[in-house]
Amino acid sequence: RFQGRGAYRFFSVSAARSQILDVAALPHRTVPHYHQTKTSSLLSLHWPQPPRNILLMPKLHAPQVTADAVEFAKYIHSNYPGLNFIFESHIANAIHETLPFPIYTTAPSNAPTLFAKKIDLVTTMGGDGTILRAASLFSMHNSVPPILSFSMGTLGFLGEWKFNEYKRAWRECYMSGCSVTVEDLVDPHTRASVAGQDKPDFTPLPGWDSVRGNGQCMGPSRASKILLRNRLRVGIYDSGGRNINAQLIPTSTAEPDLGPLTADTNHSRPTLANPPYLHAINEVSIDRGSHPHLAIIDIYVNSRFLTEAVADGILISTPTGSTAYSLSAGGSIVHPLVKSLLITPISPRSLSFRPLVLPLHSKVVLKLSPRNRGRELPVSIDGKRRVGVTIGMEVRVEGEKLEKGPDGWRGGVPCVIRASSDGGPEDDDSWVGGLNGLLKFNYPFGEPVEEP
Amino acid sequence: RFQGRGAYRFFSVSAARSQILDVAALPHRTVPHYHQTKTSSLLSLHWPQPPRNILLMPKLHAPQVTADAVEFAKYIHSNYPGLNFIFESHIANAIHETLPFPIYTTAPSNAPTLFAKKIDLVTTMGGDGTILRAASLFSMHNSVPPILSFSMGTLGFLGEWKFNEYKRAWRECYMSGCSVTVEDLVDPHTRASVAGQDKPDFTPLPGWDSVRGNGQCMGPSRASKILLRNRLRVGIYDSGGRNINAQLIPTSTAEPDLGPLTADTNHSRPTLANPPYLHAINEVSIDRGSHPHLAIIDIYVNSRFLTEAVADGILISTPTGSTAYSLSAGGSIVHPLVKSLLITPISPRSLSFRPLVLPLHSKVVLKLSPRNRGRELPVSIDGKRRVGVTIGMEVRVEGEKLEKGPDGWRGGVPCVIRASSDGGPEDDDSWVGGLNGLLKFNYPFGEPVEEP
Amino acid sequence: RFQGRGAYRFFSVSAARSQILDVAALPHRTVPHYHQTKTSSLLSLHWPQPPRNILLMPKLHAPQVTADAVEFAKYIHSNYPGLNFIFESHIANAIHETLPFPIYTTAPSNAPTLFAKKIDLVTTMGGDGTILRAASLFSMHNSVPPILSFSMGTLGFLGEWKFNEYKRAWRECYMSGCSVTVEDLVDPHTRASVAGQDKPDFTPLPGWDSVRGNGQCMGPSRASKILLRNRLRVGIYDSGGRNINAQLIPTSTAEPDLGPLTADTNHSRPTLANPPYLHAINEVSIDRGSHPHLAIIDIYVNSRFLTEAVADGILISTPTGSTAYSLSAGGSIVHPLVKSLLITPISPRSLSFRPLVLPLHSKVVLKLSPRNRGRELPVSIDGKRRVGVTIGMEVRVEGEKLEKGPDGWRGGVPCVIRASSDGGPEDDDSWVGGLNGLLKFNYPFGEPVEEP
Amino acid sequence: RFQGRGAYRFFSVSAARSQILDVAALPHRTVPHYHQTKTSSLLSLHWPQPPRNILLMPKLHAPQVTADAVEFAKYIHSNYPGLNFIFESHIANAIHETLPFPIYTTAPSNAPTLFAKKIDLVTTMGGDGTILRAASLFSMHNSVPPILSFSMGTLGFLGEWKFNEYKRAWRECYMSGCSVTVEDLVDPHTRASVAGQDKPDFTPLPGWDSVRGNGQCMGPSRASKILLRNRLRVGIYDSGGRNINAQLIPTSTAEPDLGPLTADTNHSRPTLANPPYLHAINEVSIDRGSHPHLAIIDIYVNSRFLTEAVADGILISTPTGSTAYSLSAGGSIVHPLVKSLLITPISPRSLSFRPLVLPLHSKVVLKLSPRNRGRELPVSIDGKRRVGVTIGMEVRVEGEKLEKGPDGWRGGVPCVIRASSDGGPEDDDSWVGGLNGLLKFNYPFGEPVEEP
Ligand SMILES: NC(=O)C1=CN([C@@H]2O[C@H](COP(=O)(O)OP(=O)(O)OC[C@H]3O[C@@H](n4cnc5c(N)ncnc54)[C@H](O)[C@@H]3O)[C@@H](O)[C@H]2O)C=CC1
Ligand SMILES: NC(=O)C1=CN([C@@H]2O[C@H](COP(=O)(O)OP(=O)(O)OC[C@H]3O[C@@H](n4cnc5c(N)ncnc54)[C@H](O)[C@@H]3O)[C@@H](O)[C@H]2O)C=CC1
Ligand SMILES: NC(=O)C1=CN([C@@H]2O[C@H](COP(=O)(O)OP(=O)(O)OC[C@H]3O[C@@H](n4cnc5c(N)ncnc54)[C@H](O)[C@@H]3O)[C@@H](O)[C@H]2O)C=CC1
Ligand SMILES: NC(=O)C1=CN([C@@H]2O[C@H](COP(=O)(O)OP(=O)(O)OC[C@H]3O[C@@H](n4cnc5c(N)ncnc54)[C@H](O)[C@@H]3O)[C@@H](O)[C@H]2O)C=CC1
């Protein structure tokens, strides 16, 4: 087995075709541009040059999906030259022998740092859980690569493509925006440049031509649509007011829960002096965990005391997360483009704790009330437990800012959206379809009587 | 057209086969017995002699259903001799020429009085609305005949038989309990006797033998199951504390709303001295009607002030009605055998007005608050407007008592339940089936991906 | 009585002091500037010159409030020279004799047109209903004057000042921004100019100096805070697709419901060719009115079919309205600064119609389903019935745009917010206070045991 | 410390006054009669002879309440001779030295068996949690002694007396029904006889006379009112279909969670052959505990599959529990006299899982779906974790039957209700008061403006 130890070792030198190489050896990441258009509230995806480094994340514990990932990788590799496939280390170990070309990985403890520097595009295969896992690999970073996701078996709310469409999906995403010359567009999400290079070079780079039989660009109107999902920025503070996020760096391992961090890494780590933010794409929650008694949590909004929640727990959710846990807890369904955050109580001991929707940039602070009598409550991000908080500690949450940086726009999780093939309304972000098809929103009563 | 004027006139003397006769001429009603059994919480239906006078109520404004009712009547008439078919007058007028035998009716204004004396069994064809209409014909009476209901086109929550099963359904219901000797059973719903006769004679009377090819009794185990639905008893009081129910007698006409009462009836009418109760099978409601402002209603329970509701309205619902308006307004779903009544507010201006479930025999009083400033609010029973109440008036509601009277058990609406043909659990009252099949209760998210 | 006939006539010439003059004679409106600040998400109010034309709207049918309005007018008139007081005509008639100076009014049918041209500032005295009434006077217009509102007797959610604070409130609002030189600020709400004049002149005009003993400006930091409430733009279309808004112009009369429009006005009216929009500050609703049966309404979002609502009605609400009817119907509480609109069903016959929050600029269309069988359903705006819609008609709703125009920023209703006197957090928009103080949000269970 | 080892040992022989004696040495329990009355749906309490053995349970971890319990015990001891005070062992250890008379206790492991044989009356001092703890001591038994409860500091929903009323409360409860000759009453809760004696002797026994200055009986009309709270009967079954309740016997210790059972007891224990039921007074729950993923639970009602719940958990609640966890999870409020059980999902991943209210005697079975992938979910009774269930195991729940046995009526938890001192309506079960006073039911919006 590949033993993650901070630097890559050849796993199987005898057969070059089934090598596992180190992600560190890959070229730097290509950062795409996102353009606004007049006709849609979605963005469109523009690669300054073809994406090369693809992180492929199949669902865990699902052998059939692993097999599908192998099929996908083989097909893409044959038809789109020059691509590098990255897998999480336990997947890489499991499949490299079935692939006729080398693949890349790194130790779980390095993944959060290294992936952010190298990955051009993430492709997930699974349900919403796999997308959340992908997003969590970048949860310490501002600039998340676009995520192209396939639902396998059951549709998910976040993933828009069916696996049997993968050829079309890949082609659309890979070629997206290839012939576009970027004009100076009016709005926030427009300008972007290739990471690490200053001169913008927007003519198609080598790569697109060489796609077998597919070399022609499809033009700007066929650019993939991107839904930029807002995230929440989370800081955990100890009772001395110190940010302890740096101690909570997630791992990219097969174990979904936070394991102890190994110390043997050379990669720069965030420090206490410059603590990283954790980002949530669905929600941050504090709950009573396995404790039988109600949790008591003081909530502050913009430094003002809002209320004392006596409840199973509290969720601070994104609009994306409004169809996840918050929905179960009774929250409204909020469109992902509404710039907001939700405060939704979980089983509150109150008749009058109605869910709230606040401006995205509100600053929400959760504090354990001293009335909890010294217990520790788990804090989870996107369903993954990160830390336990005790009296005196604080969880500070606010909407992540979207801002222009030296290497393009930062903030949010760019999700590639399936274009409606039926020529539907332009502004089709598949959200209405998901409400009806997946959530069975307002599902009608009754049924026709069957004929005899 | 047959013009209801209190006494029947021949409508078409030329063709005896298409005569319309007066319900008053029919023999008195046969009241069935209802037995409790050890294995089920439903009752079983036992006719002391075959039912003869059948009220047939097709859905209004649905020509196909009227045609189905004609088919049904013809079939039953040929195979089960000695039956008399009663229709509401507008239906009778519409169909008597298509039937090869005389039918019965009476003027709408007489129906509430006369039907209660003559009808052995009600058969509805339509949805829940038709059942509610049937029940409303007996809403002034304690002893409602059993209701056999067919759903036509769309299934309803209250009606359990599909129309294409009508031969089996009829046979089961008609023969129900024909060979049973009634023992003295332990509990409330047990003892019953034939209306108007004192000597209990429980051997099958003539009539069952003569059913063509069907003469054999099916034995007690095949008795039809009866769900006895509790009703609410409603009294409307004017500002002087006088019961004004007698002014609100429902009509059995095609107009669902309360028309002015015609005065030309010979039949005894309830008087102010001895006001009848109105009964609701779903709910009693007060709402703001077309008034733009919130209604303000004071609610008392057992003479104690409960709360002031500021809302679109208030529902006092039966468990049966818990899947009707109360469900829409956010109430819990209550099994019809839970002896209770529900107080459910409609769009209350409050965060903390949670729906309540009280013991069935609680006395609830609704009073318009003087803060309503002199307006009139409509009171409806089972979705049918009955009267407008103003400040000072009261609506008094309590569960109808089930009690033994000289002519059998009184109270409730006995509904014939479709026996599960799949040999399911004994205590199958079709309620769980209705939850899942009709209300799409806890309908699962997601859907399988279609194969290519 | 003053008889509104399109042009003003002197009512009482004998006593100049109690004259009622015509609003048409007043100087043109002064439009304030609204500035964004770094520390708050609220805007700040800046008058280019002191406001002169004040519309004073006391609550209807409340003699004490009318008396308070007289007291207020007298005080302001004595201490702040040069002000003109405008009242709705029925109020003007009732009070002009008690005032020692002339007041202004116009016929109800002219108010919607004339007020928009003349009023600098609206002062309401009453509850939320009075504010809604004030907003409805400007519901055909993009540029609504700032509203300073006093709650009288009971606090309202929209009105932030208590009447006993009126001297401070008025002073703050009148002097607001008097010494500020407007720089070119970065964002939407920044630039504004005096209506009808091109040269921006931002030094204090005569008027401020002359305030008795109050002449000193309080500086920019003391500028009044403005919450700009988003509105919904509503178009009603007949079955031929024609906008019929022009037929629904509201009147400013004492009758809150839409009366027939008088034809005798010289003022320019919107025409079918150029139909005005109607604007809602709380919500647009369609409901079943006094009809006993469920309404069936098809809902489209951005031209895509969303769902068929079978319900008492449907609300399209602003965030402001999220604490009004939508709250009663089960909607979430949405902060007024979240750019969104809410779709909240009223008592839907469905287990799965969860309230939705959409981006503000979504286009929502409500159509009566043909399944309603020909009835007419009332459409209301802010609780005031405007029109009945029938099958084939459409109600089109979308968020009002905020945009820069020749005469300053347009869109929204600018509400003057009470500054926290306790030196609370800067970003105090009183919303949290309203949740806790008025809505009793998450009101804690239990109570201390009284000591013996 | 008193070390519970199955048989009592003297703890402190030197000082007789502060002795701790063994509960086993006490006389047998006196079982009261409960009578129905015409005017109330509550029962009335009738002691065949004065209660002697009083279990006194102060709230845990609350020194002030322990001190109050000492005060109470001293007062009662001086004024009501012949009483024996029993405490849980850790309390007995803590306080026996402060009391001038011997007290009784037993080892925690013996408490569930021994208390049921000896305790005449339970007096709790604390909140609802203390009452639940008291009830849990009798959760394996059909016949629970009456519970007189005092709320200390904060009122609880289950406890009706304030501590400062303790003299009156005690007197009323102790003397309750002392002069009544029991007639044969019509209904269920009527007949009862003294445990262990056959001859009913209903004249006051010695004991009542000797109460200092209080010897006179207050007559039947002053009998204490009893609310008999229904319980749920719970059986846990392993994957082989074997009832494992016997392994889950609760302890009466200070640790609220289930510890390992000590084996050193001579007292007869329920065996696998004759497993005891566990009883819940609030609810039985299965939840996801500290597991991050949704629990998947199959629910059956009367052997029929109802639904698959995908949720944080599932509650099966009594009407009593409808104001506890079920309320937080969104359930309706159900009056304790409505014979029913509630199925309430906790944060279900569904839009359409509305809470259900079923007849009390419904048989509900909860099974872990195999889709849970091998994890263990905690089952709790009244908020106390009892066992973890895994795939294949079942939790079977049904309403406890109320039945006449050789030693009186069995089933339910008889709670002494505070009589309204204000001469309120007869049927005052304090439930309406609790809704308004404690739960702030339908708490009105707004507030009066304070005067300056
Ligand atoms: N009671 C509840 O509803 C709970 C919900 N969750 C949610 O699960 C998420 C973690 O997901 P998994 O690791 O897959 O846990 P999981 O295996 O427990 O599945 C959660 C379910 O939520 C769905 N889901 C996730 N994100 C969604 C979204 N944004 N919109 C609609 N559906 C969504 C998934 O498809 C899956 O069906 C958390 O972020 C939290 O939102 C977690 C615990 C309890
Ligand atoms: N917003 C709402 O949900 C409203 C509901 N209603 C209900 O409609 C009833 C009158 O029925 P219609 O005259 O047919 O009016 P309708 O034509 O408006 O239909 C009401 C709907 O409720 C269904 N329904 C009736 N009783 C039911 C029950 N007990 N359980 C489940 N579904 C039931 C019917 O099948 C029909 O789909 C009233 O008693 C009231 O409960 C009436 C007005 C508004
Ligand atoms: N069931 C309900 O809750 C209903 C509510 N309404 C609401 O009433 C409004 C009209 O108000 P009025 O003419 O005064 O009618 P009204 O006299 O019926 O009072 C409505 C109540 O809502 C309050 N209110 C109004 N706007 C509010 C807001 N934005 N946030 C919080 N509270 C608010 C008012 O203070 C008043 O207490 C409508 O726009 C609608 O939102 C109207 C009908 C029914
Ligand atoms: N999210 C929630 O609401 C939760 C509620 N609980 C409830 O707590 C109960 C255990 O109580 P504690 O040990 O004191 O736990 P606890 O210390 O967590 O307090 C539970 C709260 O519920 C109240 N309560 C208990 N039974 C009640 C009833 N029948 N009606 C009204 N209020 C009631 C208590 O007064 C207390 O305020 C459980 O039976 C369960 O019903 C337990 C866990 C979570």
Side-chain angles (χ1 to χ4, degrees), chain B residues 288 292 312 323 325 328 347-348 383, chain C residues 288 292 312 325 328 347-349 383:
Chain B
R288 65 180 175 90
D312 268 8
T323 46
Y325 203 162
S328 305
S347 294
Chain C
R288 65 181 175 90
D312 269 8
Y325 204 162
S328 306
S347 294
R349 190 159 163 69

Side-chain angles (χ1 to χ4, degrees), chain D residues 201-418:
Chain D
D201 181 357
F202 298 128
T203 50
L205 288 195
W208 276 314
D209 323 321
S210 50
V211 178
R212 295 207 192 122
N214 294 300
Q216 64 284 24
C217 271
M218 290 170 300
S221 67
R222 297 295 301 277
S224 287
K225 291 207 180 135
I226 294 290
L227 174 62
L228 192 61
R229 295 187 181 272
N230 281 106
R231 298 187 298 181
L232 296 175
R233 211 162 84 157
V234 184
I236 315 285
Y237 290 79
D238 68 16
S239 57
R242 275 178 301 270
N243 185 307
I244 61 165
N245 284 8
Q247 299 161 34
L248 314 173
I249 296 182
T251 62
S252 64
T253 71
E255 298 91 42
D257 283 335
L258 180 72
L261 291 171
T262 55
D264 60 345
T265 167
N266 313 334
H267 294 282
S268 69
R269 273 293 177 72
T271 64
L272 274 180
N274 178 24
Y277 285 103
L278 289 167
H279 291 91
I281 183 170
N282 266 348
E283 79 283 290
V284 189
S285 66
I286 302 189
D287 66 61
R288 65 180 176 90
S290 58
H291 199 98
H293 293 293
L294 287 150
I296 310 180
I297 298 161
D298 289 332
I299 310 180
Y300 295 78
V301 171
N302 295 331
S303 308
R304 188 171 173 146
F305 176 68
L306 171 69
T307 205
E308 177 194 77
V310 180
D312 269 8
I314 282 291
L315 302 170
I316 313 297
S317 166
T318 62
T320 290
S322 73
T323 45
Y325 204 163
S326 173
L327 189 74
S328 305
S332 283
I333 298 175
V334 182
H335 190 283
L337 290 175
V338 176
K339 303 223 163 301
S340 60
L341 58 80
L342 290 75
I343 302 183
T344 308
I346 312 172
S347 294
R349 189 157 165 70
S350 167
L351 291 173
S352 50
F353 199 144
R354 187 69 63 90
L356 302 177
V357 183
L358 297 176
L360 181 62
H361 295 302
S362 307
K363 291 180 208 303
V364 180
V365 178
L366 306 177
K367 285 190 206 181
L368 249 64
S369 161
R371 293 176 55 208
N372 288 290
R373 294 202 226 121
R375 57 174 158 148
E376 182 178 301
L377 296 183
V379 174
S380 302
I381 293 185
D382 295 343
K384 206 162 143 182
R385 188 187 161 150
R386 291 309 182 97
V387 67
V389 289
T390 50
I391 296 172
M393 293 179 71
E394 291 183 10
V395 179
R396 301 190 193 156
V397 187
E398 73 186 297
E400 179 189 25
K401 289 202 185 65
L402 300 181
E403 52 190 356
K404 223 190 296 188
D407 52 354
W409 276 92
R410 302 203 297 193
V413 174
C415 297
V416 182
I417 291 295
R418 183 170 179 275

Side-chain angles (χ1 to χ4, degrees), chain C residues 186-450:
Chain C
V186 259
D187 206 87
H189 313 284
T190 49
R191 285 271 212 86
S193 60
V194 180
Q197 67 177 65
D198 240 337
K199 46 168 182 34
D201 180 359
F202 298 129
T203 49
L205 290 195
W208 277 314
D209 323 322
S210 50
V211 178
R212 297 210 189 118
N214 294 300
Q216 64 284 25
C217 271
M218 289 171 300
S221 66
R222 297 295 301 278
S224 287
K225 293 214 178 124
I226 294 289
L227 174 61
L228 191 60
R229 294 186 181 273
N230 281 105
R231 298 188 296 182
L232 295 175
R233 210 161 85 158
V234 184
I236 315 285
Y237 291 80
D238 68 16
S239 57
R242 275 178 301 270
N243 185 307
I244 60 165
N245 283 9
Q247 301 160 31
L248 314 173
I249 296 182
T251 62
S252 63
T253 72
E255 298 92 41
D257 282 336
L258 180 72
L261 291 171
T262 55
D264 60 345
T265 167
N266 314 334
H267 294 283
S268 69
R269 273 294 177 72
T271 64
L272 275 179
N274 178 25
Y277 284 103
L278 289 167
H279 290 91
I281 183 170
N282 268 346
E283 79 283 290
V284 189
S285 65
I286 302 189
D287 65 61
R288 65 181 175 90
S290 59
H291 198 97
H293 292 291
L294 287 149
I296 310 179
I297 299 161
D298 290 331
I299 309 179
Y300 295 78
V301 171
N302 295 332
S303 309
R304 188 170 173 146
F305 177 67
L306 171 69
T307 204
E308 177 194 77
V310 181
D312 269 8
I314 282 290
L315 302 170
I316 312 296
S317 166
T318 61
T320 290
S322 74
T323 47
Y325 204 162
S326 174
L327 189 74
S328 306
S332 284
I333 299 174
V334 182
H335 191 285
L337 291 175
V338 176
K339 302 222 164 303
S340 59
L341 57 81
L342 289 75
I343 301 182
T344 308
I346 312 172
S347 294
R349 190 159 163 69
S350 167
L351 291 173
S352 49
F353 199 144
R354 187 68 63 90
L356 302 178
V357 183
L358 298 176
L360 181 62
H361 296 300
S362 307
K363 291 180 208 304
V364 179
V365 178
L366 306 178
K367 285 190 206 181
L368 249 64
S369 161
R371 294 176 55 209
N372 289 290
R373 292 202 226 121
R375 58 174 157 147
E376 181 177 303
L377 296 182
V379 174
S380 302
I381 292 185
D382 295 343
K384 206 162 144 183
R385 187 185 160 149
R386 290 308 181 97
V387 68
V389 288
T390 51
I391 297 172
M393 292 179 71
E394 291 184 9
V395 178
R396 302 191 192 155
V397 187
E398 72 186 297
E400 179 190 24
K401 288 201 187 64
L402 301 180
E403 51 191 356
K404 223 188 296 188
D407 51 355
W409 275 92
R410 302 202 298 191
V413 175
C415 297
V416 181
I417 291 295
R418 183 173 180 274
S420 67
S421 50
D422 60 355
E426 178 60 39
D427 202 3
D428 183 357
D429 53 23
S430 83
W431 185 77
V432 164
L435 283 189
N436 289 311
L438 294 177
L439 300 187
K440 310 301 178 195
F441 175 75
N442 192 27
Y443 202 87
F445 281 174
E447 57 181 0
V449 171
E450 313 87 294

